[in-house]
Amino acid sequence: MEKIYITTAIPYVNGTPHVGHAMDYCLADVCARYQRMLGNEVRFQAGTDEHGNKIFQKAKELDIPVGEYVSENAKKFQEFIKLLDVKYTDFIRTTDKEHEKRVQEIWKKIKDHIYLAKYDGWYCNGCERYVTEKEYAENNGVCPDHQKPYEKLEEENYYFRISDFKDQIREAIESGKMLILPEFRKKEILKLLEESPDVSISRPKAQLTWGVPVPDDDDHVMYVWIDALTNYITILGYPDTDISDWWPAYAQFVGKDILRFHAIIWPAMLMALGLELPYTLVSHGMVLSNGQKMSKSIGNVIDPIEVLNRHGSEAFRYFFLRHIDTFADSDFTWEKFEDAYNNELANDLGNLVQRLATLCYKNKFELKDAPKLNLSEEYTAFMNNFEFSKAFDYIWEKIQAINRQIDEDKPWTLAKQNETEKLQKVLESEVTTLLKTANLLTPFLPETVDKIQRIFSGTITPPEEPLFPKK
Ligand code: MSP
């Protein structure tokens, strides 16, 4: 049995969850459930990123004390994760006092790589990020993610000397010691690494009070990303506790938009601390709405709670894990979602369970032994390579094949012809294949698998309600 640590990006709480936020959770949850299925012990972190200017400004706009505002939204994220049936083990809020104390200790530990200097350049408030001259020029002074002009900034900041670690980071990425997935992002990151200047890791208190104070300097608070990235280890107890049981992480799930922080700044911090790098950074694509980025101003934001209330967690997981590609950007539309629900979940799987259980019931078939867990090489390869949407496609082909097999076997004709022995054999093969396929489905649709296993054990009785009633 291995100890496996899996992490998710912690969302900013300057708003409520949107469907894009589900990606980290769904992918990490499949990974975690798969590892548990293999018999490994899993620790699964989730949390909320609660400091920084954006959040402070938002609370001010709404005229709510910032502490109250972040608590309210943090609660919404926790409820959302629960509704998704995501089984995390640890939840961190970056305003937790324990976290703040540990971040300060971490700062002190990496002090040799920190210096004070003047920053005179560009900043994107939306990204909470300093922007290089080159980027400024490439994007004509406007952030492509936020559609807002970069702001001019002149201030004194603490800097973290990324240059101390560039060679080592490059080596870790090139050799795959810290694997970046998908592969094609590796090149992008290596290029960014070369161009990366030292990063500013503090803000003057005069401009930002909502952050972790820099130790021994009352004039500065930490840049939100420093405090955010360390969450992955402070939640494990670092530096007060030995974290070597869990660290390095088996997989860290992040969106492609924040991969650069995780593939450059984060490894540099870990190196400065003398800690190992995570084994894998998995960067997923973006969920789009009708081909466009979701945004309040376009009015195409999909409320995940509405999706969950209408269709439940299993249908949500189904769509986001199969039809949203693990690595590429993919579109969410209600039409696509409802088509997938009706044609695939209700027809392919729901009807299959219903008609097979009915055939078993009518012909008094009972399965003696449920099949043991037996994972094919193909499935294992997809799962180990984090290609979850491909694994899901692979499972679905099997489900469709069972449907075809039943059509070919025609158990109803065998029943009419009183071919009892042959009929029992055919049903045995069909039910066994279904249960084997259900095993593969366990990390994806846990509730559905549970239902299928219950239906096909003991006296087989078709469920009163179809698994996925047509909508
Ligand atoms: N607070 C930072 C992360 C700090 S991690 C130490 C942040 N927050 S976020 O709320 O903007 O994003 C949280 C996660 O959701 C990120 O992994 C991000 O990529 C993901 N997504 C946000 N919008 C998304 C989509 N539309 N589609 C897919 N994922 C998206 O970044």
Side-chain angles (χ1 to χ4, degrees), residues 77-145:
F77 274 92
Q78 278 165 331
E79 283 162 14
F80 173 51
I81 303 173
K82 285 221 177 81
L83 283 176
L84 284 172
D85 201 11
V86 163
K87 279 210 159 52
Y88 60 87
T89 57
D90 297 77
F91 196 92
I92 182 162
R93 296 180 54 189
T94 56
T95 50
D96 290 343
K97 285 288 156 266
E98 194 79 322
H99 168 75
E100 293 185 355
K101 184 194 102 209
R102 289 178 178 155
V103 180
Q104 288 179 320
E105 286 167 30
I106 288 172
W107 179 287
K108 287 188 204 155
K109 274 175 174 281
I110 62 175
K111 231 164 114 194
D112 285 352
H113 306 277
I114 294 176
Y115 60 90
L116 197 61
K118 265 228 150 61
Y119 179 80
D120 183 3
W122 303 101
Y123 188 77
C124 173
N125 213 19
C127 301
E128 303 237 14
R129 187 168 74 78
Y130 298 85
V131 171
T132 59
E133 282 298 339
K134 185 161 173 274
E135 262 183 300
Y136 181 87
E138 274 169 9
N139 296 324
N140 293 321
V142 180
C143 171
D145 287 340

Side-chain angles (χ1 to χ4, degrees), residues 131-337:
V131 171
T132 59
E133 282 298 339
K134 185 161 173 274
E135 262 183 300
Y136 181 87
E138 274 169 9
N139 296 324
N140 293 321
V142 180
C143 171
D145 287 340
H146 296 95
Q147 298 299 326
K148 284 202 184 118
Y150 295 129
E151 286 166 34
K152 186 90 187 153
L153 206 66
E154 204 186 316
E155 61 187 26
E156 193 167 60
N157 289 149
Y158 281 98
Y159 282 82
F160 179 48
R161 216 179 289 114
I162 294 279
S163 46
D164 288 349
F165 304 100
K166 272 192 183 178
D167 291 344
Q168 286 177 71
I169 297 173
R170 189 188 319 105
E171 203 275 319
I173 295 176
E174 277 173 349
S175 66
K177 215 168 10 174
M178 179 177 78
L179 195 64
I180 293 184
L181 291 178
E183 269 285 314
F184 65 84
R185 297 239 171 267
K186 216 163 122 167
K187 264 201 209 117
E188 259 170 52
I189 290 294
L190 285 171
K191 192 162 165 270
L192 276 172
L193 176 68
E194 287 321 307
E195 293 163 0
S196 253
D198 289 347
V199 276
S200 154
I201 55 168
S202 70
R203 306 298 313 275
K205 217 181 221 165
Q207 291 188 28
L208 174 73
T209 46
W210 190 239
V212 182
V214 167
D216 309 318
D217 186 339
D218 286 344
D219 295 337
H220 292 89
V221 298
M222 289 183 205
Y223 173 46
V224 62
W225 269 99
I226 293 305
D227 143 37
L229 287 165
T230 51
N231 94 83
Y232 301 125
I233 50 176
T234 61
I235 184 93
L236 297 177
Y238 187 86
D240 305 329
T241 312
D242 173 15
I243 60 169
S244 57
D245 268 358
W246 299 100
W247 192 263
Y250 171 75
Q252 300 207 260
F253 289 88
V254 300
K256 67 173 189 186
D257 54 332
I258 57 167
L259 178 62
R260 61 165 72 197
F261 295 96
H262 288 81
I264 299 173
I265 305 179
W266 179 224
M269 288 175 72
L270 288 167
M271 283 171 176
L273 291 168
L275 291 173
E276 285 181 70
L277 305 191
Y279 291 117
T280 315
L281 293 174
V282 185
S283 75
H284 59 80
M286 294 291 121
V287 184
L288 307 174
S289 170
N290 276 323
Q292 280 178 303
K293 194 182 148 77
M294 269 175 234
S295 99
K296 284 194 190 125
S297 54
I298 305 174
N300 60 354
V301 178
I302 309 283
D303 174 8
I305 307 294
E306 193 187 343
V307 183
L308 285 160
N309 286 343
R310 273 207 230 171
H311 294 280
S313 63
E314 298 282 288
F316 192 106
R317 295 170 67 102
Y318 175 76
F319 189 83
F320 281 87
L321 288 163
R322 176 151 189 246
H323 290 290
I324 302 288
D325 187 276
T326 310
F327 300 124
D329 293 352
S330 309
D331 216 21
F332 176 97
T333 65
W334 279 106
E335 202 188 343
K336 280 189 193 174
F337 187 93

Side-chain angles (χ1 to χ4, degrees), residues 423-434:
L423 174 62
Q424 295 283 318
K425 264 214 174 105
V426 157
L427 290 176
E428 183 178 359
S429 148
E430 291 164 357
V431 173
T432 306
T433 318
L434 175 63

Side-chain angles (χ1 to χ4, degrees), residues 5-16:
Y5 182 43
I6 293 168
T7 74
T8 52
I10 51 174
Y12 292 121
V13 287
N14 60 338
T16 49

Side-chain angles (χ1 to χ4, degrees), residues 351-366 402 405-407 409-416 423-424 426-427 430-431 456 460-462:
N351 278 354
L352 166 64
V353 168
Q354 200 75 23
R355 77 170 169 153
L356 193 53
T358 308
L359 280 163
C360 293
Y361 177 72
K362 279 192 181 158
N363 297 293
K364 301 195 173 45
F365 170 79
E366 276 184 28
I402 306 172
Q405 197 193 329
I406 299 176
D407 291 345
D409 292 343
K410 297 196 179 47
W412 47 90
T413 311
L414 297 175
K416 248 190 230 150
L423 174 62
Q424 295 283 318
V426 157
L427 290 176
E430 291 164 357
V431 173
F456 289 94
I460 302 174
T461 322

